[in-house]
């Protein structure tokens, strides 16, 4: 046990001596890759205090006191602090940008509980280390309290959808309020971000179902509109087809009538021939389609003559009226 303590003491002296040589721009007699664990660093600091030496890492400031009173700051490097006359290093303050994630649970204007995660990036102001070290005992708890206060005052004014849309405005509000509060304690708020907004699981499921239903409704409307356009186009095509078919039939009959007039002088006989021809064409169409819906009427040469007479009489009566 004694040998272990003595070995740690020698290692600490070796490391301190190397730091002193580096500080004075001399050549180091020992390797720079000396691995130091946390307890070894503690031993170095204890031995350094025994030798009245203090080591300050880069981007850090050491707070020095004389007989319990603030006496100054120590920049990065190795410093002589004679403890025997009442001087000592009471703490260290980092000047690096630090990040603190704060999770706050609150509710929105439409009574939906959400968990909001705010990421606050802050650092101590270099020329106000006295305030940062002495005026605030726990900066993280202080920042967390201010973030809670601002979030629980801002989010209840907004519905859930607006919370997602205005998260940058919420982050800006938190940053402004937090910057005003922490500046008096020697801390600067570099940036504040809202990195996550998580509603309750049931609310998220309901929102997904609403979104899915809206998309299905939109898809159904689009499909119905497409079917409507298809039916309109089909009807227009059928109408055009029937129109052209009617024009063709009319021209066909006109040609038949004009041809028959050359050989049959009596118009009555011409009409009878046309009616008989149309009758047989109809019977042909009925026989050609097995699934046609048809009305069966008596047929035969005598019936055709009677039908021709009835049609002729109907036309004559219509003209007389």
């Amino acid at each position: 046990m004694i040998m272990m303590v003595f070995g740690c003491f020698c290692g600490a002296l070796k490391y301190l001596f190397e730091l002193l040589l580096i500080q004075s721009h001399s050549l180091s007699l020992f390797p720079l890759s000396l691995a130091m664990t946390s307890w070894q660093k503690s031993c170095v600091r204890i031995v350094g205090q025994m030798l009245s030496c203090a080591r300050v890492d880069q981007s850090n400031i050491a707070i020095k006191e004389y007989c319990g009173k603030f006496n100054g700051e120590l920049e990065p490097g190795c410093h002589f602090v004679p403890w025997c006359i009442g001087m000592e290093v009471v703490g260290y303050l980092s000047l690096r940008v630090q990040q603190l994630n704060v999770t706050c649970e609150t509710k929105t204007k439409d009574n939906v509980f959400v968990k909001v995660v705010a990421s606050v990036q802050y650092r101590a102001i270099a020329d106000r280390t006295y305030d940062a070290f002495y005026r605030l005992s726990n900066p993280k708890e202080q920042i967390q309290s201010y973030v809670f206060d601002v979030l629980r005052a801002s989010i209840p004014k907004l519905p859930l959808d607006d919370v997602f849309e205005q998260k940058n405005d919420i982050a800006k509000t938190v940053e402004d309020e937090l910057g005003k509060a922490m500046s008096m304690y020697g801390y600067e708020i570099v940036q504040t971000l809202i990195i996550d907004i998580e509603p309750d699981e049931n609310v998220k499921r309901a929102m997904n179902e609403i979104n899915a239903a809206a998309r299905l409704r939109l898809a159904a409307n689009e499909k119905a509109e497409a079917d409507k356009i298809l039916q309109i186009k089909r009807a227009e095509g059928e109408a055009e087809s029937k129109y052209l078919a009617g024009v063709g039939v009319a021209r066909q009959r006109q040609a038949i009538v004009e041809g028959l007039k050359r050989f049959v002088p009596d118009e009555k006989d011409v009409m009878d021939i046309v009616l008989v021809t149309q009758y047989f064409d109809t019977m042909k169409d009925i026989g050609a389609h097995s699934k046609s819906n048809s009305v069966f009427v008596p047929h035969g040469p005598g019936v055709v003559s009677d039908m021709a007479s009835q049609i002729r009489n109907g036309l004559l009566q219509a003209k007389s009226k």
Side-chain angles (χ1 to χ4, degrees), residues 9 15 34 47 90 96 102 107 134 137 146 167 178 211 216 231 248 256-257 272 286:
F9 181 78
Y15 191 71
L34 183 62
V47 174
V90 294
R96 298 176 181 175
V102 181
K107 74 170 185 174
Y134 286 101
S137 60
Y146 278 109
K167 70 171 188 174
L178 196 57
N211 191 13
L216 289 175
Q231 291 178 3
I256 293 175
V257 170
D272 291 340
I286 293 173

Side-chain angles (χ1 to χ4, degrees), residues 140-153:
K140 292 185 177 180
E141 290 186 0
Q142 188 77 3
I143 291 173
Q144 185 175 359
S145 299
Y146 278 109
V147 172
F148 281 168
D149 182 67
V150 176
L151 289 179
R152 287 173 177 168

Side-chain angles (χ1 to χ4, degrees), residues 208-262:
N208 291 333
E209 291 177 357
I210 292 173
N211 191 13
R215 293 183 181 275
L216 289 175
R217 183 168 60 253
L218 180 61
N221 291 336
E222 294 294 334
K223 185 176 183 300
E225 190 68 24
D227 292 342
K228 176 184 175 181
I229 295 173
L230 184 62
Q231 291 178 3
I232 292 174
K233 293 299 181 181
R234 186 183 296 114
E236 291 177 353
E238 291 178 357
E240 186 69 19
S241 176
K242 290 180 180 179
Y243 171 77
L244 295 176
V247 172
V249 171
R251 290 178 179 177
Q252 179 186 14
R253 291 176 181 175
Q254 183 179 3
I256 293 175
V257 170
E258 290 178 355
L260 289 175
K261 284 182 179 179
R262 297 177 183 177

Side-chain angles (χ1 to χ4, degrees), residues 16 64 102 109 128 140 178 219 227 257 265 280 290 294 313:
L16 284 172
K64 183 178 65 171
V102 181
K109 187 176 181 180
R128 297 188 59 187
K140 292 185 177 180
L178 196 57
D227 292 342
V257 170
F280 282 111
S290 60
S294 306
N313 293 333

Side-chain angles (χ1 to χ4, degrees), residues 26 175 191 214 218 236 293:
S26 301
E175 182 177 343
Q191 192 174 16
L218 180 61
E236 291 177 353
N293 297 325

